[in-house]
PDB file of all heavy atoms in Angstrom:
ATOM      1  N   LEU G   1     -38.881 -64.252  98.191  1.00 98.00           N
ATOM      2  CA  LEU G   1     -38.813 -62.979  98.897  1.00 98.00           C
ATOM      3  C   LEU G   1     -38.188 -61.833  97.922  1.00 98.00           C
ATOM      4  O   LEU G   1     -37.256 -62.072  97.352  1.00 98.00           O
ATOM      5  CB  LEU G   1     -38.001 -63.090 100.113  1.00 98.00           C
ATOM      6  CG  LEU G   1     -37.723 -61.887 100.958  1.00 98.00           C
ATOM      7  CD1 LEU G   1     -39.024 -61.387 101.661  1.00 98.00           C
ATOM      8  CD2 LEU G   1     -36.748 -62.073 102.022  1.00 98.00           C
ATOM      9  N   LYS G   2     -38.824 -60.668  97.894  1.00 97.00           N
ATOM     10  CA  LYS G   2     -38.364 -59.622  96.947  1.00 97.00           C
ATOM     11  C   LYS G   2     -38.041 -58.419  97.744  1.00 97.00           C
ATOM     12  O   LYS G   2     -37.229 -57.615  97.282  1.00 97.00           O
ATOM     13  CB  LYS G   2     -39.403 -59.407  95.879  1.00 97.00           C
ATOM     14  CG  LYS G   2     -39.659 -60.470  95.052  1.00 97.00           C
ATOM     15  CD  LYS G   2     -38.541 -60.840  94.004  1.00 97.00           C
ATOM     16  CE  LYS G   2     -38.878 -61.959  93.229  1.00 97.00           C
ATOM     17  NZ  LYS G   2     -37.725 -62.401  92.366  1.00 97.00           N
ATOM     18  N   SER G   3     -38.587 -58.225  98.937  1.00 97.00           N
ATOM     19  CA  SER G   3     -38.270 -57.116  99.807  1.00 97.00           C
ATOM     20  C   SER G   3     -38.702 -57.177 101.155  1.00 97.00           C
ATOM     21  O   SER G   3     -39.607 -58.084 101.445  1.00 97.00           O
ATOM     22  CB  SER G   3     -39.008 -55.789  99.198  1.00 97.00           C
ATOM     23  OG  SER G   3     -38.547 -54.601  99.701  1.00 97.00           O
ATOM     24  N   PHE G   4     -38.237 -56.433 102.072  1.00 98.00           N
ATOM     25  CA  PHE G   4     -38.746 -56.394 103.443  1.00 98.00           C
ATOM     26  C   PHE G   4     -38.365 -55.078 104.133  1.00 98.00           C
ATOM     27  O   PHE G   4     -37.454 -54.488 103.768  1.00 98.00           O
ATOM     28  CB  PHE G   4     -38.063 -57.690 104.162  1.00 98.00           C
ATOM     29  CG  PHE G   4     -36.503 -57.657 104.241  1.00 98.00           C
ATOM     30  CD1 PHE G   4     -35.690 -56.938 105.079  1.00 98.00           C
ATOM     31  CD2 PHE G   4     -35.834 -58.474 103.237  1.00 98.00           C
ATOM     32  CE1 PHE G   4     -34.421 -57.023 105.100  1.00 98.00           C
ATOM     33  CE2 PHE G   4     -34.514 -58.541 103.186  1.00 98.00           C
ATOM     34  CZ  PHE G   4     -33.768 -57.797 104.168  1.00 98.00           C
ATOM     35  N   LYS G   5     -39.163 -54.828 105.115  1.00 97.00           N
ATOM     36  CA  LYS G   5     -38.922 -53.526 105.781  1.00 97.00           C
ATOM     37  C   LYS G   5     -39.296 -53.768 107.277  1.00 97.00           C
ATOM     38  O   LYS G   5     -40.189 -54.342 107.652  1.00 97.00           O
ATOM     39  CB  LYS G   5     -40.004 -52.520 105.324  1.00 97.00           C
ATOM     40  CG  LYS G   5     -39.583 -51.928 103.989  1.00 97.00           C
ATOM     41  CD  LYS G   5     -40.619 -50.887 103.572  1.00 97.00           C
ATOM     42  CE  LYS G   5     -40.359 -50.307 102.261  1.00 97.00           C
ATOM     43  NZ  LYS G   5     -39.101 -49.511 102.106  1.00 97.00           N
ATOM     44  N   ARG G   6     -38.393 -53.251 108.053  1.00 97.00           N
ATOM     45  CA  ARG G   6     -38.644 -53.339 109.595  1.00 97.00           C
ATOM     46  C   ARG G   6     -39.232 -52.033 109.945  1.00 97.00           C
ATOM     47  O   ARG G   6     -38.718 -50.899 109.650  1.00 97.00           O
ATOM     48  CB  ARG G   6     -37.166 -53.548 110.281  1.00 97.00           C
ATOM     49  CG  ARG G   6     -37.331 -53.408 111.794  1.00 97.00           C
ATOM     50  CD  ARG G   6     -35.949 -53.857 112.324  1.00 97.00           C
ATOM     51  NE  ARG G   6     -35.923 -55.222 112.416  1.00 97.00           N
ATOM     52  CZ  ARG G   6     -36.214 -55.995 113.752  1.00 97.00           C
ATOM     53  NH1 ARG G   6     -36.845 -55.261 114.613  1.00 97.00           N
ATOM     54  NH2 ARG G   6     -36.133 -57.234 113.741  1.00 97.00           N
ATOM     55  N   ILE G   7     -40.343 -52.172 110.689  1.00 97.00           N
ATOM     56  CA  ILE G   7     -40.981 -50.921 111.059  1.00 97.00           C
ATOM     57  C   ILE G   7     -41.535 -50.940 112.515  1.00 97.00           C
ATOM     58  O   ILE G   7     -41.405 -51.951 113.153  1.00 97.00           O
ATOM     59  CB  ILE G   7     -42.313 -50.877 110.268  1.00 97.00           C
ATOM     60  CG1 ILE G   7     -43.367 -52.018 110.560  1.00 97.00           C
ATOM     61  CG2 ILE G   7     -42.201 -50.644 108.728  1.00 97.00           C
ATOM     62  CD1 ILE G   7     -44.651 -52.014 110.004  1.00 97.00           C
ATOM     63  N   LYS G   8     -41.718 -49.702 113.023  1.00 97.00           N
ATOM     64  CA  LYS G   8     -42.046 -49.441 114.390  1.00 97.00           C
ATOM     65  C   LYS G   8     -43.373 -48.820 114.448  1.00 97.00           C
ATOM     66  O   LYS G   8     -43.695 -47.932 113.788  1.00 97.00           O
ATOM     67  CB  LYS G   8     -41.004 -48.682 115.170  1.00 97.00           C
ATOM     68  CG  LYS G   8     -41.379 -48.426 116.611  1.00 97.00           C
ATOM     69  CD  LYS G   8     -40.315 -47.493 117.283  1.00 97.00           C
ATOM     70  CE  LYS G   8     -40.664 -47.395 118.881  1.00 97.00           C
ATOM     71  NZ  LYS G   8     -42.041 -46.790 119.185  1.00 97.00           N
ATOM     72  N   ILE G   9     -44.315 -49.490 115.168  1.00 97.00           N
ATOM     73  CA  ILE G   9     -45.759 -48.946 115.237  1.00 97.00           C
ATOM     74  C   ILE G   9     -46.161 -48.967 116.714  1.00 97.00           C
ATOM     75  O   ILE G   9     -46.204 -50.057 117.411  1.00 97.00           O
ATOM     76  CB  ILE G   9     -46.783 -49.898 114.459  1.00 97.00           C
ATOM     77  CG1 ILE G   9     -46.224 -49.937 112.929  1.00 97.00           C
ATOM     78  CG2 ILE G   9     -48.120 -49.072 114.427  1.00 97.00           C
ATOM     79  CD1 ILE G   9     -47.161 -50.680 112.134  1.00 97.00           C
ATOM     80  N   ASP G  10     -46.505 -47.833 117.284  1.00 97.00           N
ATOM     81  CA  ASP G  10     -47.059 -47.783 118.612  1.00 97.00           C
ATOM     82  C   ASP G  10     -48.375 -48.310 118.753  1.00 97.00           C
ATOM     83  O   ASP G  10     -49.203 -48.322 117.811  1.00 97.00           O
ATOM     84  CB  ASP G  10     -47.020 -46.239 119.164  1.00 97.00           C
ATOM     85  CG  ASP G  10     -45.633 -45.758 119.216  1.00 97.00           C
ATOM     86  OD1 ASP G  10     -44.627 -46.548 119.259  1.00 97.00           O
ATOM     87  OD2 ASP G  10     -45.311 -44.522 119.285  1.00 97.00           O
ATOM     88  N   ALA G  11     -48.820 -48.660 119.910  1.00 97.00           N
ATOM     89  CA  ALA G  11     -50.222 -49.229 120.229  1.00 97.00           C
ATOM     90  C   ALA G  11     -51.123 -48.239 119.731  1.00 97.00           C
ATOM     91  O   ALA G  11     -51.119 -47.081 120.053  1.00 97.00           O
ATOM     92  CB  ALA G  11     -50.274 -49.455 121.755  1.00 97.00           C
ATOM     93  N   GLY G  12     -52.227 -48.753 118.982  1.00 96.00           N
ATOM     94  CA  GLY G  12     -53.358 -47.911 118.521  1.00 96.00           C
ATOM     95  C   GLY G  12     -53.069 -47.007 117.370  1.00 96.00           C
ATOM     96  O   GLY G  12     -53.913 -46.314 116.948  1.00 96.00           O
ATOM     97  N   LYS G  13     -51.782 -47.104 116.845  1.00 97.00           N
ATOM     98  CA  LYS G  13     -51.344 -46.249 115.796  1.00 97.00           C
ATOM     99  C   LYS G  13     -51.344 -47.010 114.501  1.00 97.00           C
ATOM    100  O   LYS G  13     -51.378 -48.282 114.399  1.00 97.00           O
ATOM    101  CB  LYS G  13     -50.098 -45.629 115.961  1.00 97.00           C
ATOM    102  CG  LYS G  13     -49.908 -44.874 117.243  1.00 97.00           C
ATOM    103  CD  LYS G  13     -50.853 -43.531 117.090  1.00 97.00           C
ATOM    104  CE  LYS G  13     -50.635 -42.540 118.367  1.00 97.00           C
ATOM    105  NZ  LYS G  13     -51.460 -41.426 118.391  1.00 97.00           N
ATOM    106  N   SER G  14     -51.342 -46.151 113.321  1.00 97.00           N
ATOM    107  CA  SER G  14     -51.225 -46.821 112.076  1.00 97.00           C
ATOM    108  C   SER G  14     -50.033 -46.195 111.291  1.00 97.00           C
ATOM    109  O   SER G  14     -49.499 -45.219 111.603  1.00 97.00           O
ATOM    110  CB  SER G  14     -52.443 -46.467 111.186  1.00 97.00           C
ATOM    111  OG  SER G  14     -53.665 -47.149 111.746  1.00 97.00           O
ATOM    112  N   LYS G  15     -49.518 -47.015 110.266  1.00 96.00           N
ATOM    113  CA  LYS G  15     -48.344 -46.514 109.513  1.00 96.00           C
ATOM    114  C   LYS G  15     -48.483 -47.002 108.078  1.00 96.00           C
ATOM    115  O   LYS G  15     -48.960 -48.176 107.715  1.00 96.00           O
ATOM    116  CB  LYS G  15     -47.108 -46.938 110.105  1.00 96.00           C
ATOM    117  CG  LYS G  15     -45.765 -46.554 109.418  1.00 96.00           C
ATOM    118  CD  LYS G  15     -44.503 -46.823 110.231  1.00 96.00           C
ATOM    119  CE  LYS G  15     -44.367 -46.069 111.246  1.00 96.00           C
ATOM    120  NZ  LYS G  15     -43.135 -46.003 111.971  1.00 96.00           N
ATOM    121  N   LYS G  16     -48.177 -46.139 107.145  1.00 96.00           N
ATOM    122  CA  LYS G  16     -48.113 -46.434 105.670  1.00 96.00           C
ATOM    123  C   LYS G  16     -46.793 -46.721 105.320  1.00 96.00           C
ATOM    124  O   LYS G  16     -45.892 -46.147 105.702  1.00 96.00           O
ATOM    125  CB  LYS G  16     -48.646 -45.305 104.816  1.00 96.00           C
ATOM    126  CG  LYS G  16     -50.197 -45.073 104.958  1.00 96.00           C
ATOM    127  CD  LYS G  16     -50.605 -44.063 103.884  1.00 96.00           C
ATOM    128  CE  LYS G  16     -52.240 -43.874 104.098  1.00 96.00           C
ATOM    129  NZ  LYS G  16     -52.648 -42.787 103.184  1.00 96.00           N
ATOM    130  N   ILE G  17     -46.660 -47.874 104.542  1.00 96.00           N
ATOM    131  CA  ILE G  17     -45.283 -48.239 104.117  1.00 96.00           C
ATOM    132  C   ILE G  17     -45.416 -48.603 102.604  1.00 96.00           C
ATOM    133  O   ILE G  17     -46.511 -48.840 102.136  1.00 96.00           O
ATOM    134  CB  ILE G  17     -44.720 -49.482 104.778  1.00 96.00           C
ATOM    135  CG1 ILE G  17     -45.496 -50.793 104.740  1.00 96.00           C
ATOM    136  CG2 ILE G  17     -44.476 -49.113 106.214  1.00 96.00           C
ATOM    137  CD1 ILE G  17     -44.890 -51.910 105.178  1.00 96.00           C
ATOM    138  N   LYS G  18     -44.269 -48.312 101.871  1.00 96.00           N
ATOM    139  CA  LYS G  18     -44.218 -48.667 100.411  1.00 96.00           C
ATOM    140  C   LYS G  18     -43.153 -49.600 100.065  1.00 96.00           C
ATOM    141  O   LYS G  18     -42.003 -49.526 100.686  1.00 96.00           O
ATOM    142  CB  LYS G  18     -43.909 -47.347  99.650  1.00 96.00           C
ATOM    143  CG  LYS G  18     -45.209 -46.270  99.665  1.00 96.00           C
ATOM    144  CD  LYS G  18     -44.833 -45.053  98.837  1.00 96.00           C
ATOM    145  CE  LYS G  18     -46.102 -44.136  98.728  1.00 96.00           C
ATOM    146  NZ  LYS G  18     -45.676 -42.867  97.938  1.00 96.00           N
ATOM    147  N   PHE G  19     -43.502 -50.515  99.161  1.00 96.00           N
ATOM    148  CA  PHE G  19     -42.561 -51.488  98.645  1.00 96.00           C
ATOM    149  C   PHE G  19     -42.248 -51.062  97.025  1.00 96.00           C
ATOM    150  O   PHE G  19     -43.380 -50.733  96.440  1.00 96.00           O
ATOM    151  CB  PHE G  19     -42.981 -52.827  98.738  1.00 96.00           C
ATOM    152  CG  PHE G  19     -42.914 -53.361 100.096  1.00 96.00           C
ATOM    153  CD1 PHE G  19     -44.158 -53.399 100.834  1.00 96.00           C
ATOM    154  CD2 PHE G  19     -41.803 -53.875 100.666  1.00 96.00           C
ATOM    155  CE1 PHE G  19     -44.131 -53.986 102.123  1.00 96.00           C
ATOM    156  CE2 PHE G  19     -41.811 -54.409 101.972  1.00 96.00           C
ATOM    157  CZ  PHE G  19     -42.978 -54.495 102.704  1.00 96.00           C
ATOM    158  N   LYS G  20     -41.030 -51.000  96.803  1.00 94.00           N
ATOM    159  CA  LYS G  20     -40.761 -50.728  95.377  1.00 94.00           C
ATOM    160  C   LYS G  20     -40.725 -51.964  94.621  1.00 94.00           C
ATOM    161  O   LYS G  20     -40.037 -53.026  94.951  1.00 94.00           O
ATOM    162  CB  LYS G  20     -39.428 -49.985  95.162  1.00 94.00           C
ATOM    163  CG  LYS G  20     -39.139 -49.675  93.748  1.00 94.00           C
ATOM    164  CD  LYS G  20     -37.787 -48.919  93.619  1.00 94.00           C
ATOM    165  CE  LYS G  20     -37.911 -47.524  94.220  1.00 94.00           C
ATOM    166  NZ  LYS G  20     -36.685 -46.796  94.108  1.00 94.00           N
ATOM    167  N   LEU G  21     -41.477 -52.124  93.507  1.00 91.00           N
ATOM    168  CA  LEU G  21     -41.682 -53.316  92.667  1.00 91.00           C
ATOM    169  C   LEU G  21     -40.832 -53.173  91.472  1.00 91.00           C
ATOM    170  O   LEU G  21     -41.411 -52.591  90.507  1.00 91.00           O
ATOM    171  CB  LEU G  21     -43.166 -53.656  92.436  1.00 91.00           C
ATOM    172  CG  LEU G  21     -43.611 -55.138  92.118  1.00 91.00           C
ATOM    173  CD1 LEU G  21     -43.211 -56.153  93.100  1.00 91.00           C
ATOM    174  CD2 LEU G  21     -45.048 -55.074  91.689  1.00 91.00           C
ATOM    175  N   SER G  22     -39.655 -53.644  91.412  1.00 86.00           N
ATOM    176  CA  SER G  22     -38.796 -53.397  90.289  1.00 86.00           C
ATOM    177  C   SER G  22     -39.139 -54.346  89.127  1.00 86.00           C
ATOM    178  O   SER G  22     -39.877 -55.345  89.215  1.00 86.00           O
ATOM    179  CB  SER G  22     -37.336 -53.594  90.632  1.00 86.00           C
ATOM    180  OG  SER G  22     -37.105 -54.891  91.104  1.00 86.00           O
ATOM    181  N   ASP G  23     -38.685 -53.965  88.038  1.00 82.00           N
ATOM    182  CA  ASP G  23     -39.118 -54.714  86.776  1.00 82.00           C
ATOM    183  C   ASP G  23     -38.495 -56.026  86.749  1.00 82.00           C
ATOM    184  O   ASP G  23     -39.308 -56.994  86.339  1.00 82.00           O
ATOM    185  CB  ASP G  23     -38.338 -53.976  85.517  1.00 82.00           C
ATOM    186  CG  ASP G  23     -38.551 -54.731  84.141  1.00 82.00           C
ATOM    187  OD1 ASP G  23     -39.670 -54.975  83.825  1.00 82.00           O
ATOM    188  OD2 ASP G  23     -37.528 -55.146  83.604  1.00 82.00           O
ATOM    189  N   ASP G  24     -37.417 -56.526  87.460  1.00 90.00           N
ATOM    190  CA  ASP G  24     -36.847 -57.842  87.424  1.00 90.00           C
ATOM    191  C   ASP G  24     -37.491 -58.663  88.598  1.00 90.00           C
ATOM    192  O   ASP G  24     -37.192 -59.697  88.807  1.00 90.00           O
ATOM    193  CB  ASP G  24     -35.443 -57.759  87.574  1.00 90.00           C
ATOM    194  CG  ASP G  24     -34.920 -57.141  88.871  1.00 90.00           C
ATOM    195  OD1 ASP G  24     -35.814 -56.697  89.742  1.00 90.00           O
ATOM    196  OD2 ASP G  24     -33.716 -57.106  88.925  1.00 90.00           O
ATOM    197  N   ALA G  25     -38.488 -58.094  89.276  1.00 94.00           N
ATOM    198  CA  ALA G  25     -39.239 -58.754  90.411  1.00 94.00           C
ATOM    199  C   ALA G  25     -39.875 -60.097  89.895  1.00 94.00           C
ATOM    200  O   ALA G  25     -40.176 -61.040  90.661  1.00 94.00           O
ATOM    201  CB  ALA G  25     -40.248 -58.013  91.187  1.00 94.00           C
ATOM    202  N   PHE G  26     -40.197 -60.076  88.560  1.00 94.00           N
ATOM    203  CA  PHE G  26     -40.959 -61.163  88.041  1.00 94.00           C
ATOM    204  C   PHE G  26     -40.201 -62.163  87.095  1.00 94.00           C
ATOM    205  O   PHE G  26     -40.717 -62.864  86.338  1.00 94.00           O
ATOM    206  CB  PHE G  26     -42.197 -60.456  87.190  1.00 94.00           C
ATOM    207  CG  PHE G  26     -43.051 -59.734  88.178  1.00 94.00           C
ATOM    208  CD1 PHE G  26     -42.964 -58.350  88.312  1.00 94.00           C
ATOM    209  CD2 PHE G  26     -44.069 -60.345  89.074  1.00 94.00           C
ATOM    210  CE1 PHE G  26     -43.801 -57.588  89.063  1.00 94.00           C
ATOM    211  CE2 PHE G  26     -44.917 -59.508  89.871  1.00 94.00           C
ATOM    212  CZ  PHE G  26     -44.630 -58.235  89.773  1.00 94.00           C
ATOM    213  N   ASN G  27     -38.847 -61.877  87.197  1.00 95.00           N
ATOM    214  CA  ASN G  27     -38.027 -62.719  86.366  1.00 95.00           C
ATOM    215  C   ASN G  27     -37.819 -64.009  86.989  1.00 95.00           C
ATOM    216  O   ASN G  27     -38.048 -64.259  88.315  1.00 95.00           O
ATOM    217  CB  ASN G  27     -36.620 -62.202  86.205  1.00 95.00           C
ATOM    218  CG  ASN G  27     -36.604 -60.867  85.387  1.00 95.00           C
ATOM    219  OD1 ASN G  27     -37.553 -60.528  84.782  1.00 95.00           O
ATOM    220  ND2 ASN G  27     -35.427 -60.363  85.135  1.00 95.00           N
ATOM    221  N   PHE G  28     -37.395 -65.052  86.345  1.00 95.00           N
ATOM    222  CA  PHE G  28     -37.148 -66.365  86.858  1.00 95.00           C
ATOM    223  C   PHE G  28     -35.999 -67.051  86.246  1.00 95.00           C
ATOM    224  O   PHE G  28     -35.562 -66.515  85.099  1.00 95.00           O
ATOM    225  CB  PHE G  28     -38.314 -67.253  86.795  1.00 95.00           C
ATOM    226  CG  PHE G  28     -38.855 -67.575  85.419  1.00 95.00           C
ATOM    227  CD1 PHE G  28     -38.281 -68.813  84.814  1.00 95.00           C
ATOM    228  CD2 PHE G  28     -39.605 -66.691  84.632  1.00 95.00           C
ATOM    229  CE1 PHE G  28     -38.672 -69.094  83.531  1.00 95.00           C
ATOM    230  CE2 PHE G  28     -39.961 -67.103  83.357  1.00 95.00           C
ATOM    231  CZ  PHE G  28     -39.503 -68.256  82.782  1.00 95.00           C
ATOM    232  N   ILE G  29     -35.456 -68.039  86.762  1.00 96.00           N
ATOM    233  CA  ILE G  29     -34.330 -68.706  86.185  1.00 96.00           C
ATOM    234  C   ILE G  29     -34.902 -70.081  85.544  1.00 96.00           C
ATOM    235  O   ILE G  29     -35.452 -70.795  86.245  1.00 96.00           O
ATOM    236  CB  ILE G  29     -33.208 -69.194  87.254  1.00 96.00           C
ATOM    237  CG1 ILE G  29     -32.665 -68.004  87.963  1.00 96.00           C
ATOM    238  CG2 ILE G  29     -32.092 -69.986  86.688  1.00 96.00           C
ATOM    239  CD1 ILE G  29     -31.945 -66.914  87.122  1.00 96.00           C
ATOM    240  N   ASP G  30     -34.640 -70.176  84.237  1.00 95.00           N
ATOM    241  CA  ASP G  30     -35.212 -71.334  83.692  1.00 95.00           C
ATOM    242  C   ASP G  30     -34.367 -72.583  83.928  1.00 95.00           C
ATOM    243  O   ASP G  30     -33.248 -72.494  84.663  1.00 95.00           O
ATOM    244  CB  ASP G  30     -35.395 -71.190  82.121  1.00 95.00           C
ATOM    245  CG  ASP G  30     -34.126 -70.996  81.347  1.00 95.00           C
ATOM    246  OD1 ASP G  30     -33.017 -71.323  81.804  1.00 95.00           O
ATOM    247  OD2 ASP G  30     -34.271 -70.558  80.184  1.00 95.00           O
ATOM    248  N   LYS G  31     -34.741 -73.754  83.230  1.00 94.00           N
ATOM    249  CA  LYS G  31     -34.007 -74.925  83.675  1.00 94.00           C
ATOM    250  C   LYS G  31     -32.572 -75.115  83.116  1.00 94.00           C
ATOM    251  O   LYS G  31     -31.678 -75.878  83.584  1.00 94.00           O
ATOM    252  CB  LYS G  31     -34.714 -76.359  83.147  1.00 94.00           C
ATOM    253  CG  LYS G  31     -36.221 -76.374  83.819  1.00 94.00           C
ATOM    254  CD  LYS G  31     -36.864 -77.481  83.075  1.00 94.00           C
ATOM    255  CE  LYS G  31     -38.387 -77.562  83.920  1.00 94.00           C
ATOM    256  NZ  LYS G  31     -39.070 -78.669  83.489  1.00 94.00           N
ATOM    257  N   SER G  32     -32.229 -74.172  82.148  1.00 96.00           N
ATOM    258  CA  SER G  32     -30.780 -74.191  81.695  1.00 96.00           C
ATOM    259  C   SER G  32     -30.019 -73.083  82.459  1.00 96.00           C
ATOM    260  O   SER G  32     -28.904 -72.839  82.171  1.00 96.00           O
ATOM    261  CB  SER G  32     -30.840 -73.701  80.216  1.00 96.00           C
ATOM    262  OG  SER G  32     -31.466 -72.456  79.990  1.00 96.00           O
TER     263      SER G  32
END
């Protein structure tokens, strides 16, 4: 999990949302 947003959408409606994808989102911890 890298991000989450709680949103409200009425019946029959649409909403655009944006997630920021930071540089370290693709980092990982190695075995050491």
Side-chain angles (χ1 to χ4, degrees):
L1 180 66
K2 297 296 181 180
S3 187
F4 53 87
K5 288 183 183 291
R6 175 174 274 274
I7 60 172
K8 182 181 184 300
I9 307 181
D10 293 343
K13 301 292 184 179
S14 297
K15 180 169 288 189
K16 288 184 179 181
I17 60 172
K18 288 184 179 181
F19 289 99
K20 185 177 290 185
L21 200 61
S22 60
D23 175 56
D24 62 2
F26 301 96
N27 290 4
F28 65 94
I29 304 296
D30 70 12
K31 293 179 182 179
S32 63

